[in-house]
Amino acid sequence: MAKAKATRSDERAGGRGGRSGAEPAAPAGGRPRDPAIEEAIIQATRKRLATDGYSSMTIGDIVADAGVTRPTLYRRWANKYDLVIDALEYGLRKQREAYPPLDMEQLAPCEALVEAVRRLDPRYHNERAMALHGNFMAEVERAPGLLEQLREYGVRPRCEELLMTLVSLQRRGAVREDVDLDMVVTLCFGSYFADYLRTGREVQDDFAERVVATVWPAIAVDGEVRPV
């Protein structure tokens, strides 16, 4: 979390306030925190981020939606920025926990690539993900740390998983050594955003298969499209 702390320090320097390090522990002798309350606040924050955006959402709206009081929220988060960062990290963690456990090296090359591409989908386990990405990009001048956090904890882990799958396929002799793997990752990841911007529809069930069927002939050692 070193990067997260540094970003929050930058926000404090910009006059937005912030906390130092992890959340403070409950006061000695006080009541233990109720995870259900924190869950309600996080969920309310995530919904407001998608519908209102960071600048327009207010602490008042969040506590009203969550059914809690301002002091209850401020005992856990010092300000809106820190709350939003935790809400972002919460969603990304839940999404990764939703991935089925797989051993990519035990799958056939195309099957492994399809599964890695499928996990790139920002809407995997979060139907509001595209709106969140759009809102964070729109806030880049007012709160640049938000987009940096999204890159670090949302984009990078997904893309690295695909990159490592491609590296593994190279070692297995399925993908050519001269392929620009970073560009393949960019093309595959960008396909979800391009499809959403073009159509606005939910991602189709066979989307990852179609992406791989298009990319595979350009990167495979034998250049053949294999059934998946």
mmCIF file with all atom_site columns, all heavy atoms in Angstrom, residues 203-220:
data_model
loop_
_atom_site.group_PDB
_atom_site.id
_atom_site.type_symbol
_atom_site.label_atom_id
_atom_site.label_alt_id
_atom_site.label_comp_id
_atom_site.label_asym_id
_atom_site.label_entity_id
_atom_site.label_seq_id
_atom_site.pdbx_PDB_ins_code
_atom_site.Cartn_x
_atom_site.Cartn_y
_atom_site.Cartn_z
_atom_site.occupancy
_atom_site.B_iso_or_equiv
_atom_site.pdbx_formal_charge
_atom_site.auth_seq_id
_atom_site.auth_comp_id
_atom_site.auth_asym_id
_atom_site.auth_atom_id
_atom_site.pdbx_PDB_model_num
ATOM 1   N N   . VAL A 1 203 ? -21.547 -6.868  -21.882 1.00 0.00 ? 203 VAL A N   1
ATOM 2   C CA  . VAL A 1 203 ? -20.577 -7.671  -22.612 1.00 0.00 ? 203 VAL A CA  1
ATOM 3   C C   . VAL A 1 203 ? -21.198 -9.024  -22.954 1.00 0.00 ? 203 VAL A C   1
ATOM 4   O O   . VAL A 1 203 ? -21.865 -9.649  -22.129 1.00 0.00 ? 203 VAL A O   1
ATOM 5   C CB  . VAL A 1 203 ? -19.277 -7.852  -21.791 1.00 0.00 ? 203 VAL A CB  1
ATOM 6   C CG1 . VAL A 1 203 ? -19.531 -8.646  -20.520 1.00 0.00 ? 203 VAL A CG1 1
ATOM 7   C CG2 . VAL A 1 203 ? -18.200 -8.499  -22.626 1.00 0.00 ? 203 VAL A CG2 1
ATOM 8   N N   . GLN A 1 204 ? -21.028 -9.450  -24.188 1.00 0.00 ? 204 GLN A N   1
ATOM 9   C CA  . GLN A 1 204 ? -21.625 -10.703 -24.635 1.00 0.00 ? 204 GLN A CA  1
ATOM 10  C C   . GLN A 1 204 ? -20.850 -11.889 -24.086 1.00 0.00 ? 204 GLN A C   1
ATOM 11  O O   . GLN A 1 204 ? -19.644 -11.815 -23.833 1.00 0.00 ? 204 GLN A O   1
ATOM 12  C CB  . GLN A 1 204 ? -21.669 -10.738 -26.162 1.00 0.00 ? 204 GLN A CB  1
ATOM 13  C CG  . GLN A 1 204 ? -22.580 -9.658  -26.752 1.00 0.00 ? 204 GLN A CG  1
ATOM 14  C CD  . GLN A 1 204 ? -22.642 -9.707  -28.266 1.00 0.00 ? 204 GLN A CD  1
ATOM 15  O OE1 . GLN A 1 204 ? -21.614 -9.846  -28.927 1.00 0.00 ? 204 GLN A OE1 1
ATOM 16  N NE2 . GLN A 1 204 ? -23.835 -9.615  -28.815 1.00 0.00 ? 204 GLN A NE2 1
ATOM 17  N N   . ASP A 1 205 ? -21.552 -12.994 -23.914 1.00 0.00 ? 205 ASP A N   1
ATOM 18  C CA  . ASP A 1 205 ? -20.950 -14.170 -23.284 1.00 0.00 ? 205 ASP A CA  1
ATOM 19  C C   . ASP A 1 205 ? -19.733 -14.687 -24.033 1.00 0.00 ? 205 ASP A C   1
ATOM 20  O O   . ASP A 1 205 ? -18.793 -15.212 -23.418 1.00 0.00 ? 205 ASP A O   1
ATOM 21  C CB  . ASP A 1 205 ? -21.988 -15.295 -23.169 1.00 0.00 ? 205 ASP A CB  1
ATOM 22  C CG  . ASP A 1 205 ? -23.087 -14.973 -22.167 1.00 0.00 ? 205 ASP A CG  1
ATOM 23  O OD1 . ASP A 1 205 ? -22.868 -14.084 -21.314 1.00 0.00 ? 205 ASP A OD1 1
ATOM 24  O OD2 . ASP A 1 205 ? -24.159 -15.601 -22.238 1.00 0.00 ? 205 ASP A OD2 1
ATOM 25  N N   . ASP A 1 206 ? -19.730 -14.533 -25.351 1.00 0.00 ? 206 ASP A N   1
ATOM 26  C CA  . ASP A 1 206 ? -18.616 -15.075 -26.135 1.00 0.00 ? 206 ASP A CA  1
ATOM 27  C C   . ASP A 1 206 ? -17.593 -14.005 -26.507 1.00 0.00 ? 206 ASP A C   1
ATOM 28  O O   . ASP A 1 206 ? -16.776 -14.211 -27.406 1.00 0.00 ? 206 ASP A O   1
ATOM 29  C CB  . ASP A 1 206 ? -19.149 -15.735 -27.406 1.00 0.00 ? 206 ASP A CB  1
ATOM 30  C CG  . ASP A 1 206 ? -19.801 -14.741 -28.368 1.00 0.00 ? 206 ASP A CG  1
ATOM 31  O OD1 . ASP A 1 206 ? -20.133 -13.610 -27.923 1.00 0.00 ? 206 ASP A OD1 1
ATOM 32  O OD2 . ASP A 1 206 ? -19.985 -15.082 -29.555 1.00 0.00 ? 206 ASP A OD2 1
ATOM 33  N N   . PHE A 1 207 ? -17.625 -12.882 -25.805 1.00 0.00 ? 207 PHE A N   1
ATOM 34  C CA  . PHE A 1 207 ? -16.754 -11.767 -26.188 1.00 0.00 ? 207 PHE A CA  1
ATOM 35  C C   . PHE A 1 207 ? -15.275 -12.146 -26.105 1.00 0.00 ? 207 PHE A C   1
ATOM 36  O O   . PHE A 1 207 ? -14.500 -11.895 -27.035 1.00 0.00 ? 207 PHE A O   1
ATOM 37  C CB  . PHE A 1 207 ? -17.035 -10.553 -25.307 1.00 0.00 ? 207 PHE A CB  1
ATOM 38  C CG  . PHE A 1 207 ? -16.320 -9.304  -25.748 1.00 0.00 ? 207 PHE A CG  1
ATOM 39  C CD1 . PHE A 1 207 ? -16.799 -8.548  -26.800 1.00 0.00 ? 207 PHE A CD1 1
ATOM 40  C CD2 . PHE A 1 207 ? -15.151 -8.890  -25.119 1.00 0.00 ? 207 PHE A CD2 1
ATOM 41  C CE1 . PHE A 1 207 ? -16.141 -7.407  -27.226 1.00 0.00 ? 207 PHE A CE1 1
ATOM 42  C CE2 . PHE A 1 207 ? -14.482 -7.752  -25.535 1.00 0.00 ? 207 PHE A CE2 1
ATOM 43  C CZ  . PHE A 1 207 ? -14.972 -7.001  -26.590 1.00 0.00 ? 207 PHE A CZ  1
ATOM 44  N N   . ALA A 1 208 ? -14.856 -12.749 -24.992 1.00 0.00 ? 208 ALA A N   1
ATOM 45  C CA  . ALA A 1 208 ? -13.445 -13.119 -24.841 1.00 0.00 ? 208 ALA A CA  1
ATOM 46  C C   . ALA A 1 208 ? -13.025 -14.116 -25.919 1.00 0.00 ? 208 ALA A C   1
ATOM 47  O O   . ALA A 1 208 ? -11.915 -14.022 -26.472 1.00 0.00 ? 208 ALA A O   1
ATOM 48  C CB  . ALA A 1 208 ? -13.200 -13.699 -23.450 1.00 0.00 ? 208 ALA A CB  1
ATOM 49  N N   . GLU A 1 209 ? -13.899 -15.068 -26.250 1.00 0.00 ? 209 GLU A N   1
ATOM 50  C CA  . GLU A 1 209 ? -13.580 -16.037 -27.301 1.00 0.00 ? 209 GLU A CA  1
ATOM 51  C C   . GLU A 1 209 ? -13.374 -15.330 -28.646 1.00 0.00 ? 209 GLU A C   1
ATOM 52  O O   . GLU A 1 209 ? -12.462 -15.688 -29.407 1.00 0.00 ? 209 GLU A O   1
ATOM 53  C CB  . GLU A 1 209 ? -14.692 -17.081 -27.425 1.00 0.00 ? 209 GLU A CB  1
ATOM 54  C CG  . GLU A 1 209 ? -14.700 -18.122 -26.315 1.00 0.00 ? 209 GLU A CG  1
ATOM 55  C CD  . GLU A 1 209 ? -15.459 -17.653 -25.072 1.00 0.00 ? 209 GLU A CD  1
ATOM 56  O OE1 . GLU A 1 209 ? -15.851 -16.467 -25.021 1.00 0.00 ? 209 GLU A OE1 1
ATOM 57  O OE2 . GLU A 1 209 ? -15.635 -18.469 -24.160 1.00 0.00 ? 209 GLU A OE2 1
ATOM 58  N N   . ARG A 1 210 ? -14.213 -14.342 -28.940 1.00 0.00 ? 210 ARG A N   1
ATOM 59  C CA  . ARG A 1 210 ? -14.098 -13.622 -30.214 1.00 0.00 ? 210 ARG A CA  1
ATOM 60  C C   . ARG A 1 210 ? -12.816 -12.788 -30.263 1.00 0.00 ? 210 ARG A C   1
ATOM 61  O O   . ARG A 1 210 ? -12.174 -12.682 -31.316 1.00 0.00 ? 210 ARG A O   1
ATOM 62  C CB  . ARG A 1 210 ? -15.329 -12.752 -30.422 1.00 0.00 ? 210 ARG A CB  1
ATOM 63  C CG  . ARG A 1 210 ? -16.600 -13.554 -30.683 1.00 0.00 ? 210 ARG A CG  1
ATOM 64  C CD  . ARG A 1 210 ? -17.838 -12.688 -30.558 1.00 0.00 ? 210 ARG A CD  1
ATOM 65  N NE  . ARG A 1 210 ? -17.785 -11.560 -31.474 1.00 0.00 ? 210 ARG A NE  1
ATOM 66  C CZ  . ARG A 1 210 ? -18.496 -10.443 -31.298 1.00 0.00 ? 210 ARG A CZ  1
ATOM 67  N NH1 . ARG A 1 210 ? -19.281 -10.319 -30.240 1.00 0.00 ? 210 ARG A NH1 1
ATOM 68  N NH2 . ARG A 1 210 ? -18.410 -9.475  -32.182 1.00 0.00 ? 210 ARG A NH2 1
ATOM 69  N N   . VAL A 1 211 ? -12.457 -12.182 -29.139 1.00 0.00 ? 211 VAL A N   1
ATOM 70  C CA  . VAL A 1 211 ? -11.211 -11.414 -29.099 1.00 0.00 ? 211 VAL A CA  1
ATOM 71  C C   . VAL A 1 211 ? -10.021 -12.331 -29.369 1.00 0.00 ? 211 VAL A C   1
ATOM 72  O O   . VAL A 1 211 ? -9.141  -12.029 -30.185 1.00 0.00 ? 211 VAL A O   1
ATOM 73  C CB  . VAL A 1 211 ? -11.046 -10.697 -27.741 1.00 0.00 ? 211 VAL A CB  1
ATOM 74  C CG1 . VAL A 1 211 ? -9.633  -10.114 -27.614 1.00 0.00 ? 211 VAL A CG1 1
ATOM 75  C CG2 . VAL A 1 211 ? -12.084 -9.596  -27.579 1.00 0.00 ? 211 VAL A CG2 1
ATOM 76  N N   . VAL A 1 212 ? -9.992  -13.470 -28.692 1.00 0.00 ? 212 VAL A N   1
ATOM 77  C CA  . VAL A 1 212 ? -8.875  -14.400 -28.872 1.00 0.00 ? 212 VAL A CA  1
ATOM 78  C C   . VAL A 1 212 ? -8.860  -14.964 -30.284 1.00 0.00 ? 212 VAL A C   1
ATOM 79  O O   . VAL A 1 212 ? -7.781  -15.110 -30.890 1.00 0.00 ? 212 VAL A O   1
ATOM 80  C CB  . VAL A 1 212 ? -8.943  -15.529 -27.824 1.00 0.00 ? 212 VAL A CB  1
ATOM 81  C CG1 . VAL A 1 212 ? -7.918  -16.619 -28.135 1.00 0.00 ? 212 VAL A CG1 1
ATOM 82  C CG2 . VAL A 1 212 ? -8.714  -14.965 -26.432 1.00 0.00 ? 212 VAL A CG2 1
ATOM 83  N N   . ALA A 1 213 ? -10.014 -15.277 -30.848 1.00 0.00 ? 213 ALA A N   1
ATOM 84  C CA  . ALA A 1 213 ? -10.061 -15.799 -32.210 1.00 0.00 ? 213 ALA A CA  1
ATOM 85  C C   . ALA A 1 213 ? -9.496  -14.794 -33.209 1.00 0.00 ? 213 ALA A C   1
ATOM 86  O O   . ALA A 1 213 ? -8.920  -15.177 -34.233 1.00 0.00 ? 213 ALA A O   1
ATOM 87  C CB  . ALA A 1 213 ? -11.498 -16.152 -32.588 1.00 0.00 ? 213 ALA A CB  1
ATOM 88  N N   . THR A 1 214 ? -9.626  -13.502 -32.899 1.00 0.00 ? 214 THR A N   1
ATOM 89  C CA  . THR A 1 214 ? -9.092  -12.460 -33.773 1.00 0.00 ? 214 THR A CA  1
ATOM 90  C C   . THR A 1 214 ? -7.596  -12.262 -33.583 1.00 0.00 ? 214 THR A C   1
ATOM 91  O O   . THR A 1 214 ? -6.845  -12.076 -34.544 1.00 0.00 ? 214 THR A O   1
ATOM 92  C CB  . THR A 1 214 ? -9.820  -11.134 -33.509 1.00 0.00 ? 214 THR A CB  1
ATOM 93  O OG1 . THR A 1 214 ? -11.232 -11.312 -33.707 1.00 0.00 ? 214 THR A OG1 1
ATOM 94  C CG2 . THR A 1 214 ? -9.325  -10.031 -34.429 1.00 0.00 ? 214 THR A CG2 1
ATOM 95  N N   . VAL A 1 215 ? -7.152  -12.335 -32.326 1.00 0.00 ? 215 VAL A N   1
ATOM 96  C CA  . VAL A 1 215 ? -5.749  -12.057 -32.006 1.00 0.00 ? 215 VAL A CA  1
ATOM 97  C C   . VAL A 1 215 ? -4.856  -13.268 -32.251 1.00 0.00 ? 215 VAL A C   1
ATOM 98  O O   . VAL A 1 215 ? -3.703  -13.121 -32.687 1.00 0.00 ? 215 VAL A O   1
ATOM 99  C CB  . VAL A 1 215 ? -5.631  -11.595 -30.539 1.00 0.00 ? 215 VAL A CB  1
ATOM 100 C CG1 . VAL A 1 215 ? -4.172  -11.507 -30.112 1.00 0.00 ? 215 VAL A CG1 1
ATOM 101 C CG2 . VAL A 1 215 ? -6.318  -10.251 -30.347 1.00 0.00 ? 215 VAL A CG2 1
ATOM 102 N N   . TRP A 1 216 ? -5.359  -14.456 -31.997 1.00 0.00 ? 216 TRP A N   1
ATOM 103 C CA  . TRP A 1 216 ? -4.524  -15.651 -31.998 1.00 0.00 ? 216 TRP A CA  1
ATOM 104 C C   . TRP A 1 216 ? -3.749  -15.877 -33.294 1.00 0.00 ? 216 TRP A C   1
ATOM 105 O O   . TRP A 1 216 ? -2.541  -16.187 -33.240 1.00 0.00 ? 216 TRP A O   1
ATOM 106 C CB  . TRP A 1 216 ? -5.373  -16.870 -31.658 1.00 0.00 ? 216 TRP A CB  1
ATOM 107 C CG  . TRP A 1 216 ? -4.571  -18.122 -31.467 1.00 0.00 ? 216 TRP A CG  1
ATOM 108 C CD1 . TRP A 1 216 ? -4.471  -19.187 -32.325 1.00 0.00 ? 216 TRP A CD1 1
ATOM 109 C CD2 . TRP A 1 216 ? -3.721  -18.434 -30.358 1.00 0.00 ? 216 TRP A CD2 1
ATOM 110 N NE1 . TRP A 1 216 ? -3.639  -20.145 -31.832 1.00 0.00 ? 216 TRP A NE1 1
ATOM 111 C CE2 . TRP A 1 216 ? -3.159  -19.700 -30.610 1.00 0.00 ? 216 TRP A CE2 1
ATOM 112 C CE3 . TRP A 1 216 ? -3.400  -17.762 -29.186 1.00 0.00 ? 216 TRP A CE3 1
ATOM 113 C CZ2 . TRP A 1 216 ? -2.278  -20.315 -29.738 1.00 0.00 ? 216 TRP A CZ2 1
ATOM 114 C CZ3 . TRP A 1 216 ? -2.518  -18.373 -28.302 1.00 0.00 ? 216 TRP A CZ3 1
ATOM 115 C CH2 . TRP A 1 216 ? -1.965  -19.626 -28.580 1.00 0.00 ? 216 TRP A CH2 1
ATOM 116 N N   . PRO A 1 217 ? -4.358  -15.727 -34.472 1.00 0.00 ? 217 PRO A N   1
ATOM 117 C CA  . PRO A 1 217 ? -3.584  -15.965 -35.705 1.00 0.00 ? 217 PRO A CA  1
ATOM 118 C C   . PRO A 1 217 ? -2.367  -15.052 -35.836 1.00 0.00 ? 217 PRO A C   1
ATOM 119 O O   . PRO A 1 217 ? -1.391  -15.416 -36.507 1.00 0.00 ? 217 PRO A O   1
ATOM 120 C CB  . PRO A 1 217 ? -4.607  -15.688 -36.815 1.00 0.00 ? 217 PRO A CB  1
ATOM 121 C CG  . PRO A 1 217 ? -5.926  -15.939 -36.184 1.00 0.00 ? 217 PRO A CG  1
ATOM 122 C CD  . PRO A 1 217 ? -5.775  -15.447 -34.769 1.00 0.00 ? 217 PRO A CD  1
ATOM 123 N N   . ALA A 1 218 ? -2.404  -13.879 -35.199 1.00 0.00 ? 218 ALA A N   1
ATOM 124 C CA  . ALA A 1 218 ? -1.284  -12.945 -35.313 1.00 0.00 ? 218 ALA A CA  1
ATOM 125 C C   . ALA A 1 218 ? -0.169  -13.232 -34.326 1.00 0.00 ? 218 ALA A C   1
ATOM 126 O O   . ALA A 1 218 ? 0.951   -12.740 -34.492 1.00 0.00 ? 218 ALA A O   1
ATOM 127 C CB  . ALA A 1 218 ? -1.793  -11.512 -35.111 1.00 0.00 ? 218 ALA A CB  1
ATOM 128 N N   . ILE A 1 219 ? -0.438  -14.023 -33.290 1.00 0.00 ? 219 ILE A N   1
ATOM 129 C CA  . ILE A 1 219 ? 0.574   -14.235 -32.254 1.00 0.00 ? 219 ILE A CA  1
ATOM 130 C C   . ILE A 1 219 ? 0.990   -15.688 -32.106 1.00 0.00 ? 219 ILE A C   1
ATOM 131 O O   . ILE A 1 219 ? 2.042   -15.968 -31.521 1.00 0.00 ? 219 ILE A O   1
ATOM 132 C CB  . ILE A 1 219 ? 0.078   -13.711 -30.885 1.00 0.00 ? 219 ILE A CB  1
ATOM 133 C CG1 . ILE A 1 219 ? -1.064  -14.570 -30.340 1.00 0.00 ? 219 ILE A CG1 1
ATOM 134 C CG2 . ILE A 1 219 ? -0.333  -12.250 -30.981 1.00 0.00 ? 219 ILE A CG2 1
ATOM 135 C CD1 . ILE A 1 219 ? -1.492  -14.195 -28.924 1.00 0.00 ? 219 ILE A CD1 1
ATOM 136 N N   . ALA A 1 220 ? 0.210   -16.611 -32.614 1.00 0.00 ? 220 ALA A N   1
ATOM 137 C CA  . ALA A 1 220 ? 0.501   -18.033 -32.420 1.00 0.00 ? 220 ALA A CA  1
ATOM 138 C C   . ALA A 1 220 ? 1.668   -18.481 -33.291 1.00 0.00 ? 220 ALA A C   1
ATOM 139 O O   . ALA A 1 220 ? 1.897   -17.956 -34.382 1.00 0.00 ? 220 ALA A O   1
ATOM 140 C CB  . ALA A 1 220 ? -0.728  -18.873 -32.727 1.00 0.00 ? 220 ALA A CB  1
#
